[in-house]
């Protein structure tokens, strides 16, 4: 029997996914196992394989298969002309529409460009690491200039209506525009700046040193695995490893890898990032395996992905109920220093608010300001409003304005993040969006599960996971981010729930 066109498409997507998983495995290995000297060889292997993945994906329409399916799709959307073409199920429609969207973008990028960008950004990352170690922006500057030029070029290839930043943002948060983002972020800024001033002037003093001690790494690993497991990470369908920057990667819903980082004197340092990455991983593990390779087994957007990690890390993982359950276990495992420290005090320490220079160490209240600062800068940089050489000056002025802090040197300023060196312009906003989506989802979750706090106090996370799976995870890319938020919470994305959450917690 002749195979249906939609089945052939699925088969082709499946093949591309195998290549994509291979690429992801190389990248995971680079961060977790690879010896330092392997960097150059790995960069060229990754660049070569990236081009193959790109070409293989473009080839799905080599005989016009996707174009024909897209026509069937368009016809089925028009109610009047329902005559010709295959009958398409709702899930087939999602597969076609989403594959078409990615295909349209991908085919606009010439292969030589894809290769050049992969190679330049891979090399730029090691130059950035050197510049950061030597605390010298000048070393990295020429590489960043190349990257910015390439990203402006990419935006041109992809085409855009109002600003080139829109074209880049689309890679991470499909459907989001610079205009909407500016609007949401301005609302947020109007709340955050005065809110932080109030906190800064408060008289409450918290001594965070009380949670420091000596924590053997093997014991930390075991504790982190226990927490990840307990909250819902399936360790038979994943692994927890160690890397410099924590991350999550997935090859299939049955094989999702997370990493964390350890500090011998601070066990919470690893716990916070493990809970964060476990939140990402639970999402990936809950995507429907039966549609592997298709958009139905892909996350909605980076922002929605981030909402899942933030919800676990912050709303749940930094709550008093959560630690009512885990703190006695922490005390038992690490009597020094926790035996003498009260739960309430531990809770205050892990929730301490303090303006700081480093984004990855920022608390819940100041974090979004770090993002808004980066968004404003990268948008203007891509638009060409200023040049790379002026970056440190612009960065430092904004830090002064938003946090009232002076940047002592570029290591604590412009050189702290890896993103721009890897060409990830448009990525930062998804972190702040994640915080907003998380607060909005969590507000709904609390309404839907009135006994939530009691369950968390007992270490019972079954219902939370069931809710997240049925409302968010299992749909893959069936809905866009804005459709999903509307469907789950009944409202458009807005910063209200996040601001209310901060006020409730920190007032
Ligand atoms: Zn994350």
């Amino acid at each position: 029997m002749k195979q249906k066109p939609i089945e052939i498409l699925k088969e082709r997507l499946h093949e591309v996914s195998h290549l994509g998983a291979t690429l992801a495995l190389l990248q995971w290995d680079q961060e977790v196992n690879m010896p330092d000297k392997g960097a150059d060889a790995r960069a060229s292997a990754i660049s070569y394989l990236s081009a193959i993945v790109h070409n293989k994906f473009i080839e799905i329409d080599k005989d016009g298969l996707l174009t024909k399916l897209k026509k069937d799709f368009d016809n089925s959307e028009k109610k009047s002309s329902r005559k010709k073409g295959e009958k398409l199920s709702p899930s087939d429609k999602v597969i076609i529409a989403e594959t078409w969207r990615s295909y349209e973008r991908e085919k606009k990028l010439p292969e030589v460009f894809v290769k050049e960008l992969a190679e330049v950004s891979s090399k730029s990352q090691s130059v950035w690491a050197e510049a950061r170690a030597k605390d010298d922006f000048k070393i990295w500057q020429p590489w960043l200039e190349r990257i910015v030029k390439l990203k402006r070029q990419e935006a041109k290839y992809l085409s855009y209506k109002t600003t080139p930043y829109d074209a880049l943002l689309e890679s991470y948060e499909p459907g989001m525009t610079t205009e909407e983002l500016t609007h949401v972020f301005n609302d947020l800024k109007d709340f955050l700046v005065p809110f932080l001033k109030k906190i800064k002037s408060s008289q409450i003093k918290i001594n965070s040193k009380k949670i420091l001690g000596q924590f053997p790494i093997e014991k930390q690993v075991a504790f982190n695995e226990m927490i990840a497991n307990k909250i819902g990470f399936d360790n038979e369908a994943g692994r927890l490893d160690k890397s410099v920057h924590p991350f999550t990667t997935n090859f299939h819903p049955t094989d999702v890898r997370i990493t964390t980082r350890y500090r011998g004197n601070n066990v919470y340092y690893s716990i916070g990032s493990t809970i964060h990455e476990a939140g990402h991983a639970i999402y990936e593990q809950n995507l429907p395996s039966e549609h592997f390779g298709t958009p139905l087994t892909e996350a909605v957007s980076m922002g929605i992905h981030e909402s899942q990690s933030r919800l676990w890390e912050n709303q749940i993982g930094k709550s008093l109920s959560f630690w009512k359950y885990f703190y006695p276990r922490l005390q038992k495992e690490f009597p020094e220093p926790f035996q003498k420290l009260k739960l309430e005090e531990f809770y205050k320490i892990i929730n301490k608010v303090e303006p700081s220079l480093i984004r990855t160490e920022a608390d819940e209240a100041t974090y979004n300001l770090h993002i808004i600062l980066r968004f404003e800068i990268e948008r203007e940089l891509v638009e060409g409003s200023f040049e790379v050489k002026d970056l440190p000056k612009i960065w430092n002025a904004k830090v002064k304005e938003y946090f009232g802090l002076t940047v002592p040197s570029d290591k604590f300023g412009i050189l702290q993040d890896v993103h721009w060196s890897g060409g990830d312009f448009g990525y930062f906003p998804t972190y702040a969006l994640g915080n907003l989506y998380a607060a909005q989802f969590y507000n709904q979750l609390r309404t839907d599960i009135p006994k939530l706090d009691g369950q968390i106090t007992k270490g019972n996370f079954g219902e939370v996971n069931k809710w997240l799976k049925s409302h968010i995870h299992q749909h893959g890319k069936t809905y866009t981010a804005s459709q999903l938020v509307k469907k789950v919470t009944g409202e458009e994305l807005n910063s209200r729930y996040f601001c209310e959450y901060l006020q409730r917690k920190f007032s």
Side-chain angles (χ1 to χ4, degrees):
M1 210 175 84
K2 224 179 122 226
Q3 226 182 347
K4 281 184 177 176
I6 183 73
E7 297 307 323
I8 302 174
L9 176 69
K10 285 183 197 167
E11 235 173 67
R12 289 181 188 175
L13 287 172
H14 214 110
E15 288 171 6
V16 179
S17 292
H18 291 319
L19 282 174
T22 311
L23 188 58
L25 181 58
L26 277 183
Q27 284 159 337
W28 172 83
D29 175 77
Q30 176 175 356
E31 305 293 325
V32 175
N33 295 315
M34 191 189 74
D36 287 350
K37 284 187 180 171
D40 279 356
R42 186 60 56 92
S44 71
I46 285 174
S47 147
Y48 181 71
L49 197 57
S50 301
I52 293 182
V53 176
H54 168 80
N55 290 337
K56 186 86 186 163
F57 183 64
I58 301 297
E59 271 177 27
I60 56 176
D61 199 39
K62 59 187 173 193
D63 48 4
L65 174 84
L66 183 62
T67 306
K68 189 195 163 290
L69 281 166
K70 177 67 168 50
K71 268 194 195 128
D72 291 345
F73 171 86
D74 290 341
N75 283 334
S76 71
E77 292 294 276
K78 280 184 242 144
K79 284 204 178 85
S80 52
S81 62
R82 217 176 240 177
K83 38 189 197 315
K84 277 205 323 191
E86 300 283 342
K87 262 237 156 99
L88 297 167
S89 70
S91 60
D92 290 346
K93 285 186 186 174
V94 174
I95 293 173
I96 295 166
E98 280 299 312
T99 305
W100 182 258
R101 203 180 52 77
S102 315
Y103 171 78
E104 279 247 279
R105 269 176 78 77
E106 200 69 29
K107 78 168 181 192
K108 287 179 186 160
L109 302 174
E111 185 190 337
V112 278
F113 176 82
V114 173
K115 263 186 153 161
E116 190 185 355
L117 184 63
E119 181 110 26
V120 171
S121 37
S122 179
K123 282 190 183 145
S124 155
Q125 281 183 52
S126 43
V127 180
W128 163 80
E130 188 198 336
R132 191 167 88 141
K134 293 184 177 157
D135 203 353
D136 185 356
F137 176 73
K138 287 250 152 47
I139 300 176
W140 183 43
Q141 189 186 316
W143 284 87
L144 185 58
E145 280 164 356
R146 284 184 73 180
I147 298 260
V148 170
K149 215 174 134 202
L150 285 167
K151 296 310 278 190
R152 287 175 185 158
Q153 179 62 47
E154 181 180 331
K156 261 192 211 140
Y157 281 136
L158 293 171
S159 79
Y160 54 85
K161 282 199 201 95
T162 28
T163 155
Y165 192 77
D166 275 342
L168 303 180
L169 187 60
E170 181 75 12
S171 307
Y172 309 102
E173 200 62 18
M176 179 57 74
T177 63
T178 310
E179 198 191 338
E180 190 186 350
L181 210 52
T182 308
H183 177 75
V184 174
F185 283 0
N186 281 343
D187 277 356
L188 195 56
K189 206 159 77 177
D190 288 346
F191 168 80
L192 282 177
V193 175
F195 182 72
L196 288 176
K197 275 213 181 93
K198 234 160 100 187
I199 290 188
K200 239 181 141 178
S201 63
S202 117
Q203 297 303 309
I204 305 168
K205 290 274 168 285
I206 297 168
N207 179 5
S208 6
K209 290 210 172 84
K210 286 187 180 170
I211 62 166
L212 300 182
Q214 282 184 346
F215 308 98
I217 303 297
E218 322 80 74
K219 282 186 84 176
Q220 289 198 45
V221 172
F223 199 80
N224 274 284
E225 279 176 345
M226 182 276 289
I227 289 195
N229 232 235
K230 186 77 195 163
I231 66 173
F233 174 68
D234 178 357
N235 61 348
E236 286 174 5
R239 287 176 58 91
L240 170 66
D241 288 278
K242 190 166 76 179
S243 70
V244 182
H245 304 284
F247 69 98
T248 299
T249 192
N250 58 295
F251 314 132
H252 188 272
T254 55
D255 190 354
V256 181
R257 311 285 174 97
I258 58 176
T259 69
T260 192
R261 55 188 174 180
Y262 296 94
R263 258 184 201 163
N265 71 346
N266 186 353
V267 64
Y268 186 74
Y269 184 71
S270 59
I271 293 175
S273 73
T274 297
I275 298 175
H276 178 100
E277 299 306 330
H280 280 304
I282 292 169
Y283 187 2
E284 290 291 339
Q285 290 180 334
N286 277 338
L287 288 167
S289 304
E290 64 273 24
H291 298 296
F292 174 69
T294 77
L296 290 169
T297 311
E298 281 169 25
V300 179
S301 70
M302 297 305 289
I304 297 293
H305 224 306
E306 196 65 11
S307 77
Q308 299 308 290
S309 56
R310 302 273 164 169
L311 188 142
W312 279 106
E313 179 191 5
N314 295 330
Q315 270 82 3
I316 298 177
K318 282 185 180 163
S319 68
L320 193 57
S321 322
F322 183 87
W323 285 101
K324 274 184 189 157
Y325 179 78
F326 283 106
Y327 197 59
R329 287 155 179 84
L330 190 72
Q331 286 178 310
K332 193 169 160 244
E333 215 48 53
F334 306 101
E336 211 20 71
F338 299 119
Q339 207 56 262
K340 279 189 232 131
L341 188 71
K342 286 207 180 82
L343 166 64
E344 285 69 23
E345 217 172 337
F346 174 80
Y347 170 73
K348 277 185 187 153
I349 292 171
I350 64 169
N351 282 294
K352 184 177 175 180
V353 174
E354 192 174 40
S356 62
L357 294 165
I358 304 291
R359 174 186 61 87
T360 55
E361 290 169 18
D363 53 77
E364 282 180 274
T366 55
Y367 190 92
N368 286 341
L369 267 186
H370 285 272
I371 298 307
I372 292 172
L373 176 151
R374 285 155 178 76
F375 160 67
E376 291 172 348
I377 291 177
E378 67 178 9
R379 175 193 169 167
E380 287 195 57
L381 191 57
V382 169
E383 287 174 350
S385 306
F386 57 79
E387 291 309 316
V388 169
K389 67 173 169 44
D390 299 321
L391 263 180
K393 217 171 58 202
I394 291 165
W395 181 286
N396 297 350
K398 277 200 191 275
V399 170
K400 186 89 206 164
E401 186 191 341
Y402 295 166
F403 299 100
L405 297 172
T406 305
V407 179
S409 71
D410 292 338
K411 201 161 86 179
F412 300 95
I414 186 73
L415 285 175
Q416 66 181 278
D417 296 305
V418 66
H419 304 62
W420 291 342
S421 75
D424 287 328
F425 284 84
Y427 191 115
F428 279 124
T430 67
Y431 291 133
L433 288 174
N435 283 325
L436 304 185
Y437 291 138
Q440 207 166 326
F441 287 145
Y442 198 64
N443 181 69
Q444 191 60 45
L445 203 153
R446 282 163 58 102
T447 314
D448 292 353
I449 311 176
K451 290 181 183 145
L452 185 66
D453 279 338
Q455 293 177 0
I456 293 176
T457 307
K458 290 196 196 93
N460 175 0
F461 301 101
E463 259 199 85
V464 178
N465 275 310
K466 220 167 87 191
W467 190 94
L468 291 172
K469 184 174 180 178
S470 70
H471 287 84
I472 299 166
H473 304 166
Q474 68 171 8
H475 302 298
K477 270 191 155 74
T478 302
Y479 308 104
T480 64
S482 68
Q483 287 169 339
L484 186 71
V485 171
K486 190 88 194 280
K487 183 175 179 291
V488 176
T489 71
E491 277 181 63
E492 310 274 341
L493 166 71
N494 63 76
S495 60
R496 197 184 116 198
Y497 296 99
F498 180 76
C499 299
E500 280 178 8
Y501 163 73
L502 287 188
Q503 234 153 3
R504 216 172 30 237
K505 192 160 177 178
F506 296 104
S507 288

